[in-house]
């Protein structure tokens, strides 16, 4: 049997569920992802975007994104309340990334980026900071053997570690290190934690790989249910120690682990406070969600009209009450799980709560 949350936690879950309904009704935009490219200097085993060195879809012109920002976003928000995140692909393959950053900064928005670190030299970091870079997330998936297996490049581990060292030395730059945990890393998490602490890392986020994109065909990337429990127990212990700020990613509802492995109770913010503009102009919740859930396209639709009126599948989750979710008494808290875990027919790839048996 899955261990249910205790009474105090259930009370907290009920309170947060009521709060979440208010957030859904308001759907105030807080984070806007710009998938500026599908080009990448790696070919990772778990990539959900199936990025390639020369993808079929070209980079979105910066002018197209800025037009949407100027005409469709800025008139309706306070730019100080919205974080723009450049994502890919690998953002550093774009030579105009600094120009994009300067333009977004000039409009009053803070911006950040997600990177694998392969191309982050001291000079490039200097130029990005000068362009207003405020936050950066770096992928770092374990020790050299594990990281290299996932990222499929012999220099990927050293380059990522060098990037981390550069980033943590820069005062005022917000960052986190993102680790996609695979089975070989689970028994070495304590050891890996000590490596990060020794390097001076203070913010760490752990995720597990879900079956989408390339990862759908490679089961070796997914941890077992027992390993998943061990990962959550490790996060809970580490948070109690207080030596490094560690949390589990916004992957799914975790039952009795809620508010113990993250700073707050689970919620899927996609389409509620998070939107994305994909490289082909598609408008969606976040960049991990399948194309079947795109709600419009900037080349034929008005972004703000889409944001206000076309995100019903994200904001009313009753359509998810099917199959294993139909009679689940946790549905009011998890709302059917993350949108990124739903396939094109709406079926749930797997349930985090059910894994914790």
């Amino acid at each position: 049997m899955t261990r249910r949350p205790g009474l105090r936690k259930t009370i907290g879950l009920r309170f947060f569920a009521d709060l979440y309904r208010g957030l859904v009704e308001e759907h105030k935009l807080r984070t806007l992802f710009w998938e500026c490219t599908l080009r990448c200097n790696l070919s990772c085993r778990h990539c959900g975007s199936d990025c390639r060195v020369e993808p079929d879809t070209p980079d979105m012109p910066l002018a197209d994104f800025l037009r949407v920002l100027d005409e469709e976003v800025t008139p309706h928000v306070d730019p100080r309340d919205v974080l723009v995140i450049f994502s890919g692909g690998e953002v550093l393959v774009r030579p105009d990334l600094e120009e994009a950053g300067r333009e977004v900064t000039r409009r009053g928005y803070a911006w950040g980026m997600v990177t694998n670190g392969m191309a982050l030299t001291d000079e490039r970091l200097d130029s990005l900071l000068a362009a207003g870079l405020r936050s950066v997330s770096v992928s770092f998936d374990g020790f050299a053997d594990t990281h290299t297996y996932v990222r499929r490049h012999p220099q990927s581990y050293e380059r990522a570690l060098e990037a981390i060292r550069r980033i943590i030395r820069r005062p005022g730059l917000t960052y986190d290190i993102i680790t996609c945990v695979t089975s070989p890393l689970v028994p070495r998490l304590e050891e890996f934690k000590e490596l990060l602490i020794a390097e001076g890392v203070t913010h760490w986020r752990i995720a597990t790989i879900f079956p989408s994109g390339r990862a759908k065909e490679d089961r070796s990337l997914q941890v077992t249910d027992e390993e998943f429990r061990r990962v959550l127990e490790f996060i809970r212990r580490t948070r109690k120690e207080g030596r490094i700020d560690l949390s589990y990613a916004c992957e799914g509802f975790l039952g009795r682990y809620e508010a113990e492995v993250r700073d707050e109770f689970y919620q899927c913010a996609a389409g509620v406070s998070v939107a994305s503009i994909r490289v082909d102009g598609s408008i969606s919740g976040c960049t991990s969600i399948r194309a079947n859930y795109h709600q419009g396209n900037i080349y034929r639709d008005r972004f703000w009209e889409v944001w206000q009126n076309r995100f019903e599948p994200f904001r009313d989750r009753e359509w998810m009450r099917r199959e294993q979710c139909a009679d689940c008494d946790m549905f009011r808290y998890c709302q059917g799980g993350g949108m990124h875990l739903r396939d094109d027919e709406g079926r749930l790839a797997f349930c985090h709560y059910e894994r914790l048996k």
Side-chain angles (χ1 to χ4, degrees):
M1 294 290 292
T2 303
R3 284 185 59 185
R4 295 173 56 84
L7 177 60
R8 289 182 61 188
K9 191 161 292 182
T10 300
I11 293 171
L13 284 167
R14 289 172 181 168
F15 175 80
F16 192 79
D18 292 339
L19 178 64
Y20 181 67
R21 280 194 292 271
L23 295 175
V24 170
E25 185 175 347
E26 185 182 24
H27 54 265
K28 188 172 184 178
L29 184 63
R30 294 290 188 182
T31 304
L32 178 61
F33 283 90
W34 178 35
E35 185 184 59
C36 60
T37 184
L38 285 182
R39 291 184 294 139
C40 192
N41 46 20
L42 294 178
S43 182
C44 303
R45 295 179 186 274
H46 66 312
C47 184
S49 301
D50 196 23
C51 304
R52 298 180 294 278
V53 174
E54 294 297 335
D56 297 331
T57 306
D59 295 357
M60 177 182 287
L62 172 59
D64 293 357
F65 176 70
L66 294 178
R67 174 185 61 80
V68 175
L69 206 61
D70 289 339
E71 299 176 7
E72 293 294 311
V73 180
T74 303
H76 305 283
V77 304
D78 183 339
R80 294 172 297 181
D81 294 336
V82 179
L83 174 64
V84 176
I85 300 178
F86 300 161
S87 70
E90 169 51 44
V91 296
L92 293 178
V93 303
R94 281 193 68 128
D96 64 346
L97 199 64
E98 286 84 350
E99 180 186 356
R102 285 191 294 271
E103 291 298 325
V104 169
T105 299
R106 186 168 66 84
R107 288 159 170 81
Y109 295 89
W111 68 275
M113 68 179 188
V114 182
T115 179
N116 58 37
M118 286 287 292
L120 191 65
T121 62
D122 279 324
E123 293 74 19
R124 192 76 197 269
L125 183 54
D126 285 339
S127 65
L128 291 166
L129 288 168
L133 176 67
R134 299 279 292 278
S135 70
V136 58
S137 295
V138 182
S139 301
F140 194 46
D141 297 327
F143 295 101
D145 53 349
T146 307
H147 183 92
T148 303
Y149 176 78
V150 173
R151 300 290 166 175
R152 298 204 290 195
H153 191 290
Q155 295 179 314
S156 58
Y157 174 82
E158 289 299 332
R159 295 276 186 87
L161 184 55
E162 289 169 2
I164 291 168
R165 288 167 174 165
R166 291 185 174 100
I167 288 164
I168 64 178
R169 291 200 304 264
R170 303 303 177 105
L173 180 60
T174 300
Y175 72 88
D176 65 348
I177 308 306
I178 304 173
T179 300
C180 290
V181 174
T182 50
S183 292
L185 184 60
V186 174
R188 303 187 69 188
L189 279 169
E190 290 284 351
E191 185 183 352
F192 188 58
K193 175 189 70 178
E194 295 301 329
L195 181 149
L196 293 178
I197 292 173
E199 290 289 345
V201 171
T202 55
H203 295 84
W204 184 22
R205 183 159 35 118
I206 280 178
T208 45
I209 296 172
F210 54 93
S212 178
R214 295 176 189 154
K216 188 175 183 179
E217 309 302 326
D218 190 347
R219 293 288 175 177
S220 72
L221 298 173
Q222 296 172 40
V223 296
T224 66
D225 291 351
E226 173 59 30
E227 289 169 337
F228 182 50
R229 286 193 296 273
R230 291 173 63 186
V231 169
L232 296 183
E233 289 290 344
F234 166 76
I235 296 174
R236 183 159 63 178
R237 287 196 310 273
T238 300
R239 287 170 65 87
K240 288 180 179 178
E241 289 175 356
R243 299 169 60 215
I244 186 171
D245 181 8
L246 172 61
S247 65
Y248 185 66
C250 55
E251 287 289 310
F253 179 73
L254 302 173
R256 63 191 176 94
Y257 289 99
E258 285 297 318
E260 295 184 25
V261 296
R262 288 185 286 243
D263 291 340
E264 57 186 26
F265 292 108
Y266 170 74
Q267 63 170 311
C268 181
V272 176
S273 59
V274 176
S276 67
I277 297 175
R278 307 298 293 265
V279 69
D280 63 353
S282 297
I283 303 167
S284 189
C286 80
T287 55
S288 296
I289 296 171
R290 290 173 173 79
N292 208 37
Y293 298 100
H294 292 168
Q295 303 302 299
N297 192 291
I298 64 167
Y299 294 115
R300 63 173 184 269
D301 303 303
R302 305 285 289 180
F303 174 87
W304 198 253
E305 189 276 329
V306 172
W307 175 250
Q308 289 292 83
N309 303 311
R310 295 203 210 169
F311 272 81
E312 200 64 19
F314 292 78
R315 296 169 188 165
D316 183 355
R317 303 294 190 90
E318 283 301 310
W319 65 271
M320 292 185 177
R321 282 191 188 268
R322 51 189 285 194
E323 298 161 345
Q324 68 259 53
C325 294
D327 301 314
C328 180
D329 55 3
M330 293 291 114
F331 187 87
R332 66 175 293 189
Y333 309 130
C334 79
Q335 292 290 297
M339 287 288 290
H340 65 290
L341 296 175
R342 296 279 167 173
D343 67 15
D344 290 341
E345 286 72 46
R347 292 187 297 265
L348 188 61
F350 61 78
C351 171
H352 288 73
Y353 182 62
E354 284 298 316
R355 298 189 78 184
L356 299 171
K357 293 183 178 178

